[in-house]
């Protein structure tokens, strides 16, 4: 059973803090993704990565950055957290072959106060 | 860009059949996925269609018409545990990104 783990289920941070959200997969999959999910807006892609040290912007990258130094780990960084970044953050991975379905981690509910 | 539409909510009775619709507009369509998401949990993969027609997997079936930009997920013999949000997602040629709809909340009542 493939696993995607995220470092925290719940996180509370203050405005202006630097926040790291970690995602680790236990397979040798190339593709990893970070989404945020908000009521009424659905799942929105922040960043994704096809391989180590590679990253691509998604639909809402502003205020975020990512790091992928090892294949199994993909980190989302909030350089200076703001209250509008309060959300559920979901990491996903997919194989690099058809049909490329994505498998999600349990999510991190981040609250910025 | 891509545009994916799903109705927001529906209620159905235990044991019944429910159909969840999804319409999409995209260039270079390369597959449609259905996910189930229980409250407070991550989405889990249900089904995938890339060719027209019906794919059946136990109580769940998914249908695709590429010419109409339309898919549906059919849930048969509804159970209380089927109460969840059902997300439709579309992939384009040339990338591994998925664009998600906002999800259809299904409430199963006794």
């Amino acid at each position: 059973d493939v696993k995607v783990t995220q470092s925290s289920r719940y996180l509370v941070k203050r405005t202006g803090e630097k926040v790291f959200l970690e995602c680790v997969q236990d397979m040798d999959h190339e593709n990893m993704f970070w989404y945020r999910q908000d009521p009424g807006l659905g799942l929105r892609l922040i960043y994704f990565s096809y391989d180590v040290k590679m990253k691509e912007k998604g639909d809402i990258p502003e205020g975020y950055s990512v790091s992928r130094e090892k294949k199994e780990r993909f980190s989302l960084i909030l350089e200076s957290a703001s209250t509008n970044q309060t959300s559920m953050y979901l990491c996903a991975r997919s194989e690099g072959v058809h049909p490329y379905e994505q498998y999600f981690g349990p999510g991190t509910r981040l609250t910025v106060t | 860009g891509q545009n994916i539409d799903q109705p927001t909510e529906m209620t159905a009775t235990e044991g019944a059949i429910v159909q969840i619709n999804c319409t999409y507009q995209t260039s270079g369509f390369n597959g449609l996925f259905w996910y189930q998401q229980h409250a407070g949990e991550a989405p889990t993969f249900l089904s995938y269609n890339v060719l027209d027609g019906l794919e059946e997997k136990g109580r769940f079936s998914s249908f695709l018409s590429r010419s109409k930009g339309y898919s549906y997920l059919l849930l048969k013999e509804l159970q209380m545990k089927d109460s969840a949000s059902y997300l439709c997602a579309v992939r384009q040629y040339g990338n591994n990104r998925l664009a998600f709809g906002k999800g259809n909340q299904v409430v199963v009542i006794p």
Side-chain angles (χ1 to χ4, degrees):
Chain A
D1 195 23
V2 178
K3 282 193 167 49
V4 179
T5 57
Q6 295 184 229
S7 47
S8 307
R9 287 302 303 271
Y10 300 94
L11 207 54
V12 180
K13 295 291 182 181
R14 292 189 184 275
T15 301
E17 279 193 82
K18 190 169 185 174
V19 181
F20 292 86
L21 302 182
E22 304 284 341
C23 175
V24 178
Q25 52 145 332
D26 67 348
M27 299 287 283
D28 195 30
H29 291 147
E30 292 89 0
N31 306 319
M32 297 186 77
F33 307 82
W34 274 108
Y35 296 88
R36 62 178 284 177
Q37 187 173 33
D38 301 286
L41 296 176
L43 272 166
R44 293 180 292 167
L45 182 64
I46 305 171
Y47 267 98
F48 59 105
S49 169
Y50 291 143
D51 207 340
V52 175
K53 296 196 186 295
M54 293 182 67
K55 60 185 180 184
E56 299 269 352
K57 291 180 181 179
D59 299 317
I60 51 162
E62 296 79 18
Y64 303 94
S65 62
V66 289
S67 171
R68 193 159 182 206
E69 297 296 317
K70 293 184 179 181
K71 200 167 203 174
E72 67 270 19
R73 189 178 297 268
F74 190 36
S75 303
L76 181 69
I77 303 156
L78 287 66
E79 294 290 341
S80 176
S82 63
T83 54
N84 64 12
Q85 291 178 310
T86 291
S87 186
M88 170 67 90
Y89 289 88
L90 289 156
C91 174
R93 64 98 184 133
S94 74
E95 295 184 50
V97 293
H98 181 85
Y100 307 99
E101 71 265 30
Q102 293 185 13
Y103 293 89
F104 288 82
T108 296
R109 182 160 295 283
L110 173 67
T111 302
V112 183
T113 61
Chain B
Q2 301 182 78
N3 191 32
I4 301 167
D5 284 317
Q6 299 183 248
T8 53
E9 187 169 324
M10 55 176 54
T11 301
T13 307
E14 199 174 8
I17 299 172
V18 70
Q19 178 173 313
I20 303 165
N21 297 322
C22 173
T23 57
Y24 64 89
Q25 293 174 306
T26 185
S27 53
F29 173 84
N30 195 24
L32 187 142
F33 298 78
W34 283 98
Y35 284 81
Q36 180 190 60
Q37 186 176 24
H38 288 104
E41 297 182 13
T44 54
F45 170 70
L46 285 179
S47 70
Y48 169 73
N49 295 70
V50 68
L51 299 176
D52 290 350
L54 191 68
E55 294 280 343
E56 298 193 71
K57 255 190 189 182
R59 292 191 300 115
F60 293 4
S61 304
S62 56
F63 171 83
L64 176 67
S65 168
R66 288 172 296 170
S67 62
K68 295 181 179 175
Y70 169 68
S71 173
Y72 67 73
L73 181 70
L74 200 67
L75 283 62
K76 301 174 203 169
E77 300 167 19
L78 272 179
Q79 302 176 9
M80 298 300 290
K81 67 178 182 180
D82 297 331
S83 290
S85 183
Y86 291 86
L87 311 176
C88 165
V90 171
R91 184 159 60 86
Q92 288 180 297
Y93 269 116
N95 66 66
N96 296 325
R97 296 176 48 161
L98 293 181
F100 284 84
K102 293 178 183 175
N104 183 330
Q105 183 68 43
V106 172
V107 177
V108 181
I109 57 175

